[in-house]
Amino acid sequence: MCDRDGTFFRNFSRRNFLKSTVAGAAATIALPPALAALLSPSRAHAAGTTIKATHGSGFCNMGMFLAKERELTKADGVDLEFVVTPSNTEITTMFGAGLVDMSMIPYSNFMTLYDAGAPVKIIAGGGVEGCIIVAKEGIKSAADLKGKTFGTFQADTLEVLPYDYLKKAGLSFNDVQIKYLDTSPELAQAFMAGAIDAICHIEPYASQCVIGREGATVLSDGTDVYGKGYSDCVLAVRTPLLESNPAAVKAVIKALFVAQSQAEADKTAALKDTVGKYYKTTMEAAIDASSKQPIVVDQRNQTQFIIDRGQSMKDLGYVKKLPDKGAFNWSLLEAVIAENKPLYDGLKLKSA
C-alpha cells in the first residue's frame, strides 16, 4: 500500500507470508537448468565440499561473515558459499525449498519451516540479544506507541519482541499500525527519514537509527522482556546434509567457534572485515553497536527460551503447533567442543 507520506510498504498478510514459506518448505521449485545447477546445495569437488548458505544482515551473522571472509572452513576441506537473497523472506524460502544447505536464520523464521514439516534442525547459535525497539522523539513507553506506525519484518524475531513487549504492557498489535518491510537498510532508512514512528531492528542498524534521527530513543533492548543472553539467530541445517556429510557441518560449526574467539580477541579487526561489505552502516554506528549483540555459538542453554517463543508465533498465526526439542540437534556442536577443548574453554560467552 502507499501511505499518505508517499512511502511504499510491503503490507502483505501473514497468510501470504505463510503461503510463500510453506510452499518453499513443501514443494519442488521449477528452475531453469543453469540456475538449478548454480543453486544446487552442497556438492563435492576436487578440493572438498562446497556448502551453500543464506544469512541475515545483523551482528548475529558476524560469525558466518568472518568464517567466509577469513576462509575458516577451508582447513577442513569445506568451502562456504553465500547465496544472496533480495529480501528477508527469501532467506527462509530458499532454505525451506532446499536450494541451500544451511542458514543463519532468526529462530522465529526457522519455526515456520519446522512447523510446515521441512527437514531442518537447529545445530548451533549465531548471536544473542541485539533486538532493539527504537522510537521517535516523544515516545517514551509502550503506552505512547498506541496509534503509531511500527516497522518490522514478518515472522522475524524483530516481530516477536515487539509483540511480547506490547503484551507485557497490556497492549497488542491492534494498538499500533504494523508496517512490514523487506531489508535491514530499508527499515533503517524508513525510520531515519521519518516515515515510521517506531521500529524493532537488529544491530548495527538499531544504533544507526538512534544516531541518525534526532531525539530517537530506545524503548527496549529485549533484556527487559526476556532477560540477559536471549537468543536471536541460530544456525540451521537441512537434515539430508546433516546425515550425509556430518564432517562438513562440523567444519562450519568449528569455524564459527574460531570466528567467535577471534571477534572476542579483536573486535576492531572483525568490524573492519565486515562493515561495508556485509553491514551497510557507518563504522561509528558499528562500533557503538558492537557490544550489544555478541557472537554466541553455543546456545544450548537457549533451547527452552526458543521453544517458549513458539507461543507468540502461534498467537501471531505463523505456526499451528509449538516447537519441541526435536527441532534441535546439538550433537555435532558437542562433538566439536569435545575435539577443540582449548578453543572452547577460551571463549568468553557460552552455555557451559
Side-chain angles (χ1 to χ4, degrees):
M1 63 177 289
C2 179
D3 283 18
R4 286 174 294 178
D5 59 13
T7 301
F8 288 87
F9 298 96
R10 289 190 66 187
N11 199 16
F12 44 79
S13 68
R14 291 190 178 89
R15 180 177 297 177
N16 288 338
F17 174 87
L18 288 171
K19 283 181 180 177
S20 66
T21 54
V22 171
T28 300
I29 297 177
L31 297 170
L35 182 58
L38 179 65
L39 290 177
S40 61
S42 67
R43 61 184 187 275
H45 54 78
T49 300
T50 296
I51 290 182
K52 291 183 180 292
T54 52
H55 58 77
S57 55
F59 269 166
C60 58
N61 294 268
M62 182 175 280
M64 285 286 276
F65 296 156
L66 292 175
K68 170 68 173 176
E69 288 302 298
R70 297 175 177 179
E71 300 184 338
L72 300 180
T73 60
K74 287 200 170 181
D76 292 307
V78 174
D79 286 329
L80 189 59
E81 184 176 316
F82 289 159
V83 176
V84 179
T85 59
S87 75
N88 285 24
T89 301
E90 278 72 32
I91 295 171
T92 306
T93 303
M94 290 185 69
F95 179 49
L99 298 177
V100 296
D101 307 289
M102 62 174 53
S103 184
M104 186 63 77
I105 189 172
Y107 65 76
S108 51
N109 292 111
F110 169 87
M111 283 185 197
T112 64
L113 297 177
Y114 184 73
D115 187 69
V120 292
K121 298 284 185 181
I122 292 172
I123 60 166
V128 299
E129 301 184 12
C131 298
I132 315 288
I133 298 176
V134 183
K136 72 175 184 179
E137 184 176 9
I139 299 177
K140 303 296 184 182
S141 68
D144 294 335
L145 288 170
K146 292 187 71 172
K148 301 297 192 296
T149 52
F150 195 107
T152 187
F153 303 128
Q154 284 208 299
D156 199 285
T157 52
L158 300 180
E159 186 177 13
V160 176
L161 173 58
Y163 175 83
D164 290 340
Y165 172 76
L166 289 170
K167 185 177 180 180
K168 184 179 179 182
L171 301 170
S172 74
F173 273 8
N174 291 329
D175 294 303
V176 297
Q177 300 177 50
I178 297 294
K179 303 292 184 181
Y180 296 114
L181 287 91
D182 284 330
T183 68
S184 290
E186 180 187 31
L187 181 58
Q189 287 301 319
F191 177 77
M192 290 188 292
I196 301 178
D197 298 320
I199 59 170
C200 188
H201 217 330
I202 206 73
E203 292 294 4
Y205 299 97
S207 290
Q208 180 186 20
C209 288
V210 174
I211 294 170
R213 183 167 176 175
E214 187 176 356
T217 57
V218 172
L219 296 184
S220 172
D221 65 359
T223 60
D224 54 315
V225 181
Y226 301 139
K228 292 285 188 181
Y230 66 87
S231 179
D232 175 36
C233 288
V234 293
L235 183 66
V237 67
R238 292 184 62 83
T239 51
L241 177 65
L242 195 63
E243 295 168 354
S244 66
N245 198 343
V249 177
K250 285 172 62 179
V252 176
I253 296 173
K254 177 185 173 184
L256 292 180
F257 274 128
V258 173
Q260 180 181 338
S261 176
Q262 292 177 348
E264 289 179 346
D266 192 344
K267 191 171 294 182
T268 300
L271 292 174
K272 287 180 178 178
D273 282 351
T274 53
V275 172
K277 181 171 184 178
Y278 296 107
Y279 300 120
K280 309 305 180 186
T281 187
T282 64
M283 184 60 74
E284 177 190 13
I287 292 172
D288 181 64
S290 61
S291 63
K292 300 172 185 174
Q293 190 175 42
I295 302 169
V296 180
V297 181
D298 179 10
Q299 290 191 21
R300 289 173 293 176
N301 64 355
Q302 292 299 297
T303 301
Q304 192 59 49
F305 168 81
I306 294 173
I307 290 173
D308 290 345
R309 300 284 71 71
Q311 185 60 57
S312 297
M313 287 291 287
K314 187 177 180 182
D315 292 345
L316 285 165
Y318 289 120
V319 300
K320 295 178 181 177
K321 59 184 182 298
L322 301 182
D324 52 31
K325 290 187 177 180
F328 303 83
N329 185 334
W330 301 118
S331 63
L332 294 187
L333 179 137
E334 290 169 346
V336 171
I337 291 172
E339 295 164 7
N340 299 272
K341 284 293 289 179
L343 170 63
Y344 181 76
D345 290 344
L347 297 175
K348 296 176 182 177
L349 299 174
K350 54 200 172 187
S351 288

